[in-house]
Amino acid sequence: MLTKEEMPACPVATTVQLIGSKWKLLILRNLLARPWRFNELRKDLEGISQKVLADSLRALESDGIVARTVYPEVPPRVEYSLTPLGESMKPILDAMEKWGTEYKKRLCTDADNE
């Protein structure tokens, strides 16, 4: 977790530092729907390496955004879910989804008008 001294002065920069990577945003998108297991995420996030997924999940967990739950089973089952802090990012991702949808519509409309 970032210390107060390590955080950028700008709140937007702080948010970007926490979730600004492509993979972290896509992991959050998935976890907003439901808890996921590691291999499920790896299969769904086409192109992500095992190392990048593990590092991203570890960082999100360290920052208090993702919770890792280990179930005492054989073999052990591990699920990742959003913490309440992670859930509070839903409006950010919803706004990104809305903007992306509008942008894609605009591109299609502009292409049709050419």
Side-chain angles (χ1 to χ4, degrees), residues 34-104:
R34 63 175 174 84
W36 288 67
R37 294 175 72 176
F38 185 89
N39 284 329
E40 285 182 305
L41 282 168
R42 197 165 53 118
K43 288 175 188 165
D44 193 70
L45 301 172
E46 194 172 316
I48 194 169
S49 71
Q50 186 166 336
K51 181 185 180 341
V52 169
L53 178 57
D55 290 348
S56 297
L57 286 167
R58 209 171 290 121
L60 289 166
E61 183 181 6
S62 171
D63 291 329
I65 296 167
V66 167
R68 180 178 185 266
T69 305
V70 181
Y71 294 93
E73 301 172 354
V74 178
R77 177 171 53 106
V78 178
E79 284 186 344
Y80 295 89
S81 59
L82 293 179
T83 63
L85 180 62
E87 291 281 349
S88 74
M89 293 184 158
K90 184 174 181 353
I92 297 168
L93 293 165
D94 287 347
M96 292 175 77
E97 178 184 22
K98 181 179 177 187
W99 189 90
T101 300
E102 292 302 316
Y103 180 78
K104 288 168 82 172

